[in-house]
Amino acid sequence: MPGGHQVRTVLGLEDPAAPATARPGFDLGELLGLFDGMFNSGQPSPERMAEEVANLQTHVLPVLREIRPTWYEEAQCDILEYPRGTFSDDGKCGGRPAEQPFDDVARADLDRILDAVERSGVPTNELTGARYAPDGTVESVGFLRSGGGIEWNFAYLYSPDERPREWESALGPVTITPIGATGWWFEKSPND
């Protein structure tokens, strides 16, 4: 009850010099902060973007060069698509043709990728649209980045030789912003 400490003090039930005791329940400010994080998540700062793409470049791209995945997703059902085939936890949750359950090699390859991502510290659980040169050099790749709340999708795109393709979602325009002169781009799209 608002003013409860004052009422209990006037009635002689509490020491007026004592601080008001915390009452159990939700702090409305904390609850509003939680909802704000879900609905109005801000994109990372330019400094944070530069740090994260440098970490992807250092830790993840060398592993991609060796394994050459075109798609992976770490979720309730892990999925890996690469030259050896398409693998998933149950052999069908990715919905891809010729998908099969992970064998030991494919699971180890996905684990190497996920370990590299973890070392990078970048909050991502999905790689998309990777293309490679014949020698394995990464020509382009996208990493979905968490943090957009329910309003936005964020992604880091590596495309050192050309600007990524502009596109528009059904919900509105997609912005693609260069991250310095690194060959990395930040994509922000409406979450559909």
Side-chain angles (χ1 to χ4, degrees):
M1 155 174 134
H5 175 68
Q6 291 85 355
V7 171
R8 287 189 297 279
T9 299
V10 169
L11 294 175
L13 300 174
E14 287 187 20
D15 178 1
T21 57
R23 297 178 349 139
F26 287 103
D27 177 328
L28 185 57
E30 288 179 20
L31 189 58
L32 291 174
L34 173 68
F35 285 127
D36 186 53
M38 288 173 52
F39 295 101
N40 298 313
S41 294
Q43 69 186 43
S45 69
E47 295 79 16
R48 178 70 177 203
M49 288 182 203
E51 177 185 317
E52 289 183 343
V53 298
N55 287 341
L56 288 170
Q57 182 105 19
T58 299
H59 297 287
V60 182
L61 291 190
V63 175
L64 299 184
R65 181 182 176 131
E66 293 175 29
I67 298 173
R68 299 184 191 193
T70 53
W71 176 51
Y72 85 78
E73 184 173 3
E74 180 186 27
Q76 288 181 332
C77 177
D78 292 344
I79 302 162
L80 173 64
E81 184 175 276
Y82 73 136
R84 289 191 63 245
T86 302
F87 298 87
S88 67
D89 286 339
D90 66 2
K92 58 185 174 191
C93 63
R96 302 286 176 121
E99 185 175 326
Q100 56 193 310
F102 278 106
D103 60 21
D104 291 342
V105 174
R107 174 50 73 183
D109 287 342
L110 178 62
D111 288 345
R112 284 185 59 209
I113 296 166
L114 297 178
D115 289 345
V117 169
E118 186 174 336
R119 282 191 313 275
S120 78
V122 177
T124 181
N125 68 343
E126 187 171 355
L127 169 145
T128 63
R131 291 189 343 240
Y132 301 88
D135 69 353
T137 301
V138 179
E139 293 180 337
S140 65
V141 64
F143 294 92
L144 298 186
R145 186 196 187 280
S146 64
I150 63 171
E151 187 177 10
W152 300 105
N153 289 316
F154 297 152
Y156 289 129
L157 309 176
Y158 178 68
S159 181
D161 296 329
E162 63 187 13
R163 179 181 178 86
R165 177 183 63 83
E166 299 276 345
W167 62 286
E168 184 157 330
S169 85
L171 298 177
V174 175
T175 60
I176 298 174
T177 307
I179 302 171
T182 62
W184 288 88
W185 307 78
F186 183 76
E187 180 183 87
K188 179 179 176 182
S189 62
N191 190 359
D192 55 0

